[in-house]
Amino acid sequence: MVAEPEGPEEVPEDRKPLSDEATSEFALPEGLVPEPPPEPEGSAFVVPEGLSPEPQPEPEGSAFAPPSTYSAKDSPAAFTPAYGVPLARLPHNAPWQDRMRTMLRLPVGDRPVPEAPTAKDETGPSVPRVLDLALRIGELLLAGGEGAEDVEAAMFAICRSYGLDRCEPTVTFTLLSVTYQPSLVDDPLTANRTVRRRGTDYTRLAAVYQLLADINAPAHEVSPEEAYRRLAEIRRNRHPYPGWVLTAAAGLLAGAASLLLGGDTTVFFVAALGAVLGDRLAWLCAGRGLPEFYQFLVAAMPPAAMGVLLTLLHAELRPSAVITGGLFALIPGRALVAAVQDGLTGFYITASARLLEVAYFFVAIVVGVLSVLYVAVQFDAQLNPEGTLSPVERPVTQILSSMVLCATFAVLLQQSRGTVVFATLNGGVAWVVYASIAVTAEGSAVMATAVAAGLVGLFGQLMARYHHTSSLPYVTAAIGPLLPGSATYFGVLAIAQNNLDQGFNSLAKAAALALAIAIGVNLGSELARLFMRAPGAGSARSAAKRTRGF
């Protein structure tokens, strides 16, 4: 009998039969909890849970719904993203200029948590009033010759001190503007002011910086009304030196410059007389409302006429020293330094406008001297350009003359007496360095000028940081002995004698010396900031230039 085949084994109860439904290899493994889906109509401005103690918005909120009220005192904790955006730290012991400059060079979203406003009132001062105060102070600084970056830092410091942290100041050559936007969805408020008149008064500039220091100091609580009162007093204050002192200082400056170039006592008095006459003519033109171009033109004519007169009298003197000495007080060194500083810090529009202003003044000086020299050539005046090129080594006399030149230059700039002393010493050191390289070592005049100007900028910036004020009073007058008056006169004389190639080469040399002064001063100032305490988080401040040529 054949045995029946055994049937299939019974399926265990724990093994489930295959389902008839189709399965996917991307099915979620058993035991893994899926991530909850996002809210279908949630707001794009919803704050993540745990980041802020403020309540979550309604799920039906719009993407354009305004965020929760932001207060400088009740701001959320600082947050550094996972991809490593560094958090800038601004210590209070750093100068406010460096702190505000660092803030301006950061995007609005990357700036540190704003400080609490200095005002005790929770609501703070009126926004338009704070913006107007910032514009008025910025106008005084820009009209006084400050660089565009320093003016922006001052305006931003004022706004931030009164709780307006989301503001953006903008400075051009004649226009100041500041924009404040409370939040990303609020309408911005913009105010602007035009700079129509420019004047040189470094005493007023120092008073403005003292006001800025008091506004930014945590121990002081200067209300906008108090700041307006002090600003009105600064505007009403008279210049520290009367007109006759300024005229005498212009004459002493020209006489000291002539001694610096090898003149004697007679040349000193003749150069001083020509400069005094030129200064009085310039004041007369200013009183008649003539533009500054014509003021510079007529101011350059009397010194040139005095030099031609000495030549026609056949006096055994140095007429070139008389003419060159009269040009020292006219060369716009302050505007040139500010122009190059703006260009190096990224303010190219303002730098171009300042350079154009310097070019107009330079052309006015050339036209004034050239007009007199053309008349002298018609009278067969034997003007010898070689006298300008032969250096005279009189160390003691030249050092004392350079110091007198700096002191009188500081008086013309309306500086306080304390800054006049330091500017005088700084200029004497600069001349010693220049003469050591250019005359004693027979080195390049351009290199010697740049090195001496760099020391002037370095010492000036150190003193400015020590006194918490502007560096202009310590720098501008000290570069007086380095100004290219001799090269300017030699170029104009060569053009008058129909030696065009030689004349333009000399004028190009004068331009190179002027640029060496400006770049050296700026480099010295940057070195002072580089080696001293910086307000960054263990690193120096970001550069003003955002790209590398692309």
Side-chain angles (χ1 to χ4, degrees):
M1 186 174 178
V2 180
E4 295 181 0
E6 297 181 359
E9 297 181 357
E10 296 182 359
V11 179
E13 295 181 358
D14 57 345
R15 293 181 60 185
K16 303 294 183 182
L18 295 176
S19 174
D20 295 336
E21 299 180 0
T23 60
S24 171
E25 59 180 321
F26 298 103
L28 189 67
E30 187 175 355
L32 184 63
V33 180
E35 198 173 294
E39 293 290 337
E41 297 179 358
S43 171
F45 294 93
V46 173
V47 182
E49 186 177 359
L51 181 60
S52 174
E54 303 194 354
Q56 298 292 333
E58 296 293 332
E60 291 85 5
S62 169
F64 298 97
S68 59
T69 304
Y70 182 82
S71 173
K73 289 186 176 180
D74 303 327
S75 58
F79 172 69
T80 303
Y83 50 83
V85 175
L87 178 65
R89 299 184 180 90
L90 302 177
H92 292 284
N93 55 353
W96 67 265
Q97 295 96 325
D98 286 354
R99 291 189 287 118
M100 295 303 108
R101 190 180 290 110
T102 302
M103 292 282 291
L104 282 174
R105 292 183 177 183
L106 290 174
V108 178
D110 295 342
R111 289 174 183 172
V113 179
E115 303 166 356
T118 57
K120 294 182 179 180
D121 190 3
E122 183 68 24
T123 59
S126 173
V127 173
R129 194 166 181 81
V130 174
L131 299 184
D132 181 70
L133 178 63
L135 289 173
R136 290 179 182 273
I137 292 180
E139 178 190 8
L140 284 180
L141 294 178
L142 188 63
E146 276 289 357
E149 187 181 28
D150 294 327
V151 177
E152 281 195 359
M155 295 171 61
F156 183 78
I158 296 171
C159 295
R160 188 173 172 84
S161 297
Y162 292 111
L164 307 184
D165 55 286
R166 297 182 61 88
C167 67
E168 287 294 338
T170 304
V171 175
T172 58
F173 185 58
T174 58
L175 182 65
L176 301 172
S177 65
V178 58
T179 301
Y180 172 67
Q181 189 175 17
S183 65
L184 293 175
V185 296
D186 289 332
D187 294 332
L189 179 63
T190 302
N192 55 60
R193 192 173 183 86
T194 303
V195 180
R196 301 191 182 276
R197 295 191 62 183
R198 300 177 184 274
T200 303
D201 189 342
Y202 284 174
T203 302
R204 178 180 297 175
L205 190 69
V208 174
Y209 265 88
Q210 183 60 48
L211 175 59
L212 286 170
D214 292 342
I215 292 176
N216 287 274
H220 293 78
E221 293 184 358
V222 181
S223 63
E225 289 73 18
E226 176 68 16
Y228 267 107
R229 185 189 63 79
R230 292 178 57 178
L231 189 61
E233 291 179 355
I234 293 173
R235 286 180 174 274
R236 285 196 302 264
N237 283 345
R238 293 185 177 182
H239 299 303
Y241 307 104
W244 66 270
V245 174
L246 299 180
T247 301
L252 289 176
L253 190 152
S258 65
L259 292 179
L260 200 64
L261 299 172
D264 54 11
T265 306
T266 305
V267 171
F268 174 88
F269 285 106
V270 173
L273 179 60
V276 167
L277 293 177
D279 182 77
R280 287 293 90 191
L281 285 177
W283 276 101
L284 179 62
C285 293
R288 298 293 181 179
L290 291 178
E292 286 185 305
F293 179 88
Y294 300 105
Q295 298 176 28
F296 274 79
L297 190 150
V298 299
M301 296 177 70
M306 287 294 176
V308 171
L309 182 61
L310 289 182
T311 303
L312 293 176
L313 294 177
H314 301 286
E316 297 297 329
L317 300 173
R318 295 174 67 95
S320 59
V322 175
I323 301 176
T324 304
L327 299 182
F328 266 81
L330 301 178
I331 297 177
R334 173 182 58 88
L336 180 65
V337 171
V340 175
Q341 179 182 356
D342 289 341
L344 294 176
T345 52
F347 294 85
Y348 301 114
I349 297 178
T350 307
S352 301
R354 289 186 189 269
L355 286 175
L356 186 60
E357 180 189 38
V358 171
Y360 269 103
F361 292 161
F362 192 76
V363 170
I365 296 172
V366 170
V367 171
V369 176
L370 199 59
S371 301
V372 176
L373 294 184
Y374 269 129
V375 176
V377 171
Q378 301 302 321
F379 284 94
D380 296 329
Q382 301 298 321
L383 297 170
N384 182 19
E386 300 298 329
T388 306
L389 297 179
S390 57
V392 178
E393 293 190 24
R394 296 182 301 179
V396 178
T397 303
Q398 289 178 332
I399 292 175
L400 293 178
S401 300
S402 65
M403 296 177 68
V404 172
L405 191 153
C406 294
T408 53
F409 204 170
V411 172
L412 289 176
L413 295 173
Q414 302 282 356
Q415 296 185 198
S416 61
R417 292 172 176 80
T419 58
V420 169
V421 174
F422 184 84
T424 301
L425 296 177
N426 200 8
V429 173
W431 175 257
V432 170
V433 173
Y434 169 81
S436 300
I437 299 176
V439 180
T440 304
E442 298 181 355
S444 171
V446 176
M447 183 188 68
T449 302
V451 173
L455 290 177
V456 168
L458 177 62
F459 295 152
Q461 187 61 231
L462 292 177
M463 290 299 298
R465 292 172 71 93
Y466 179 76
H467 291 287
H468 301 287
T469 184
S470 172
S471 62
L472 290 180
Y474 304 101
V475 170
T476 306
I479 64 175
L482 306 177
L483 294 176
S486 180
T488 302
Y489 164 70
F490 177 69
V492 173
L493 178 59
I495 294 176
Q497 294 177 342
N498 205 22
N499 298 325
L500 299 183
D501 292 340
Q502 190 176 7
F504 285 119
N505 288 337
S506 181
L507 292 179
K509 179 183 178 182
L513 291 173
L515 290 178
I517 293 173
I519 295 176
V521 168
N522 182 265
L523 181 60
S525 300
E526 294 297 328
L527 289 177
R529 295 192 185 105
L530 180 64
F531 292 108
M532 295 187 71
R533 190 182 188 90
S539 60
R541 59 194 174 102
S542 302
K545 190 172 179 60
R546 273 80 172 176
T547 62
R548 296 182 182 271
F550 50 83

